[in-house]
Amino acid sequence: MDIADTPAMRLTVDTTPSLLPTPAPPPTSRRSGFRPWADGSTRARLVAVVLFIDALAALISCGVIVFNARNAVRVETRASLATVESLVADTIRLSDTTSPDTLLQTLDLRFKVLRHVRVAVLEPDGDQVGKPMPPQKSEREAPRWFADLIMPPIERHTLPIVVNGQTLGTAQITTQPMDEIDEIWGYARALSMTTLAINAAMLIALYLALGRILAPLQRLGAGLTQLEHHDYTARLSPPGARELAVIAERFNKVAAALSEVRGANGRLNRQLLTAQDDERRRTALELHDEFGPCLFALEANAASIARIASGPAEPNREKLAARAAEISAIVGQVQTVNRELLNRLRPHGLGQAPLSTCLDLLLRGFGQRHPATSFVGRFDGLARGYGELVDLTVFRCVQESATNAVRHGGASRVEAEAVEVDGRLRVTIRDDGIGIPHEHRTGLGLSGMRERVEALDGTFALDNAGPGAIVTILIPVPPERVDENNNAPSA
């Protein structure tokens, strides 16, 4: 008998996380309860899930096999029982002329060895004709537990042996399902061994494949460890898997960006270390070049006045007036230099006057110091102020851009514009100078402007305008700004 193919069982594992709010147990109890699973590697977890699915599928398959085999054994034994009953009845009917002893012996010999049933020919007194057949041992004898799972109830039918109206004995037919069970056990054992071998090979192949597939994740972990230790030279080679290749590419871009930021921070730190000394050196040079001659001239005029006043003759009023006028001019020059120096160190008008007024005064001062260059400013529509940081950033950017246009660009016209558009403050400084040369290197002034703007979540751009250069700055307007009528911040 052939065992019917059992339908393949598919187990679906739902990995969708539950959205129901469940109280989270304490972390210590969770880790102590599931520590082997929590501490296992991803490869071990996947193999364990596959093993669990295989075990569950094997359990379901065994249940289906047992159920089908039990029905098959019952059907087979009943069919054999009906067939043997018919054969025994036909044999008795066709042996009317045979002697009783010969008939019983014939029945005993003819139906001694059958599958699924056993026939015992009994005399009228109940004694069995012939010797009973010893139980046959099969090489595929099923174990007791398997036979108990499959074996149906034993059925026994008794047929009277009647010839010419005389009862010669009885034929006792008993079902014997062990033949069918032994055959089923052989098929089941062969199927189980084959399935076990296939699953073992599949698990080994899966384990090796997962090792190759998850190897890029291990390299990713090593790369992240390098980044954690501030080693931004870490790079990942692109793996074969498309999804992991995207991760590797993003990792390399992040590492390159971190390396670039680290280099920029290093350059900025070096610039910051020298910025204070440069400012002090520039201030000292201006004090020496501007205040020194003025003080010397004041001292000379004071000495001349002293000589004129100490002479024996009457002091010359015209000379005294000339010396006083020279002293007044020198004092005015000192005041101008002092005002410019203080304004460069800290614009005193910011926070006291509107931002547009401070920018107009800044460009007017540039025009006075550089009469050969035209400075034009358009700052209509600006609020009174946008906070100390934003106002100072805008002021410094306009100041530095105008200085670069005159000092490095040789510009004859500089235009500055500031306008508030869509919640952002846009500042544009354009000149008609020589523009940005190809060998241009970012100096301290440009780095300072960029750092100031980016610190306010803004953007800074420097491009050639053909002719000249253009600086474009976009700064988000803060939620609090200075009201146009007073200095109090308003939302």
Side-chain angles (χ1 to χ4, degrees):
M1 172 187 173
D2 296 331
I3 301 178
D5 294 336
T6 57
M9 304 300 293
R10 173 173 293 183
L11 177 65
T12 303
V13 179
D14 187 6
T15 58
T16 305
S18 175
L19 300 179
L20 296 177
T22 54
T28 54
S29 62
R30 288 181 61 185
R31 290 192 59 85
S32 60
F34 299 96
R35 192 172 190 84
W37 176 262
D39 294 341
S41 63
T42 302
R43 179 162 61 172
R45 292 184 183 184
L46 291 176
V47 172
V49 170
V50 174
L51 279 174
F52 174 75
I53 295 175
D54 280 348
L56 190 56
L59 183 62
I60 296 175
S61 300
C62 289
V64 173
I65 290 175
V66 169
F67 178 77
N68 291 338
R70 181 181 296 175
N71 291 334
V73 170
R74 182 184 296 109
V75 171
E76 189 71 17
T77 54
R78 286 182 177 178
S80 299
L81 180 62
T83 301
V84 171
E85 285 182 353
S86 178
L87 289 175
V88 171
D90 292 342
T91 302
I92 296 173
R93 187 175 63 254
L94 296 175
S95 302
D96 294 341
T97 60
T98 308
S99 63
D101 294 337
T102 304
L103 177 59
L104 294 180
Q105 293 292 334
T106 301
L107 290 175
D108 180 61
L109 293 176
R110 185 172 183 180
F111 299 104
K112 184 177 291 292
V113 180
L114 295 172
R115 282 178 55 83
H116 311 320
V117 293
R118 295 292 182 266
V119 179
V121 180
L122 304 179
E123 296 178 350
D125 56 1
D127 295 335
Q128 183 174 351
V129 177
K131 296 182 179 180
M133 290 291 294
Q136 297 180 355
K137 294 293 184 179
S138 174
E139 296 180 357
R140 299 180 302 181
E141 185 176 358
R144 188 65 185 174
W145 61 268
F146 186 78
D148 292 339
L149 286 175
I150 296 179
M151 183 178 295
I154 302 297
E155 297 183 17
R156 182 177 291 110
H157 291 187
T158 302
L159 295 177
I161 303 174
V162 180
V163 178
N164 297 326
Q166 181 183 359
T167 302
L168 303 179
T170 57
Q172 193 176 62
I173 306 173
T174 306
T175 57
Q176 185 63 34
M178 283 304 299
D179 296 335
E180 188 71 17
I181 293 175
D182 290 342
E183 186 176 348
I184 294 175
W185 169 252
Y187 283 115
R189 184 173 61 179
L191 180 62
S192 299
M193 296 299 295
T194 303
T195 305
L196 181 62
I198 293 175
N199 283 336
M202 183 188 68
L203 287 175
I204 294 174
L206 180 63
Y207 186 83
L208 296 177
L210 287 176
R212 293 180 60 86
I213 293 174
L214 298 178
L217 296 182
Q218 295 179 352
R219 293 195 293 270
L220 176 61
L224 292 175
T225 301
Q226 287 184 262
L227 295 184
E228 183 182 0
H229 295 155
H230 306 288
D231 180 8
Y232 302 128
T233 61
R235 297 294 185 273
L236 297 180
S237 58
R242 181 176 59 184
E243 295 80 1
L244 297 179
V246 173
I247 296 177
E249 181 183 1
R250 296 293 186 271
F251 175 88
N252 292 336
K253 288 184 178 180
V254 169
L258 290 176
S259 178
E260 183 179 353
V261 170
R262 184 179 185 180
N265 287 338
R267 293 190 299 270
L268 181 60
N269 288 332
R270 289 190 295 271
Q271 292 174 353
L272 290 177
L273 291 176
T274 59
Q276 187 175 9
D277 291 337
D278 291 342
E279 186 64 28
R280 289 176 178 176
R281 189 181 302 109
R282 186 189 306 176
T283 303
L285 183 61
E286 291 191 5
L287 289 176
H288 179 271
D289 294 342
E290 299 291 341
F291 283 89
C294 292
L295 293 176
F296 178 77
L298 288 176
E299 183 181 5
N301 281 281
S304 177
I305 292 175
R307 286 195 303 271
I308 294 174
S310 62
E314 183 179 357
N316 190 338
R317 296 180 179 274
E318 294 181 357
K319 290 183 177 181
L320 291 177
R323 297 297 181 272
E326 291 179 3
I327 291 175
S328 178
I330 293 171
V331 170
Q333 184 178 356
V334 170
Q335 290 177 343
T336 301
V337 173
N338 181 66
R339 188 184 307 109
E340 292 179 356
L341 183 60
L342 293 176
N343 192 49
R344 194 184 68 202
L345 294 177
R346 178 65 171 86
H348 61 276
L350 288 178
Q352 300 177 4
L355 176 61
S356 58
T357 302
C358 295
L359 295 177
D360 286 331
L361 292 176
L362 174 65
L363 295 182
R364 188 180 305 173
F366 270 101
Q368 294 174 355
R369 293 192 301 273
H370 306 281
T373 304
S374 173
F375 294 88
V376 179
R378 291 185 290 272
F379 310 113
D380 298 334
L382 294 181
R384 178 180 179 85
Y386 296 91
E388 183 178 0
L389 290 178
V390 176
D391 291 352
L392 184 59
T393 298
V394 173
F395 187 91
R396 290 303 188 195
C397 289
V398 174
Q399 184 183 40
E400 184 65 26
S401 299
T403 301
N404 291 337
V406 175
R407 182 180 300 172
H408 304 294
S412 61
R413 181 179 177 85
V414 178
E415 297 180 1
E417 181 183 10
V419 60
E420 182 180 343
V421 179
D422 297 331
R424 292 190 300 178
L425 190 62
R426 186 178 66 192
V427 182
T428 306
I429 304 97
R430 183 192 303 267
D431 65 78
D432 60 353
I434 61 175
I436 306 172
H438 296 289
E439 63 278 5
H440 169 72
R441 297 180 60 185
T442 303
L444 181 62
L446 292 177
S447 298
M449 283 195 292
R450 186 183 301 275
E451 293 297 330
R452 285 177 181 273
V453 173
E454 291 180 353
L456 298 174
D457 296 330
T459 58
F460 173 88
L462 173 62
D463 300 298
N464 282 316
I470 180 171
V471 177
T472 304
I473 299 168
L474 291 175
I475 301 176
V477 175
E480 293 185 356
R481 66 178 70 181
V482 179
D483 191 11
E484 295 186 1
N485 298 324
N486 53 53
N487 294 337
S490 61

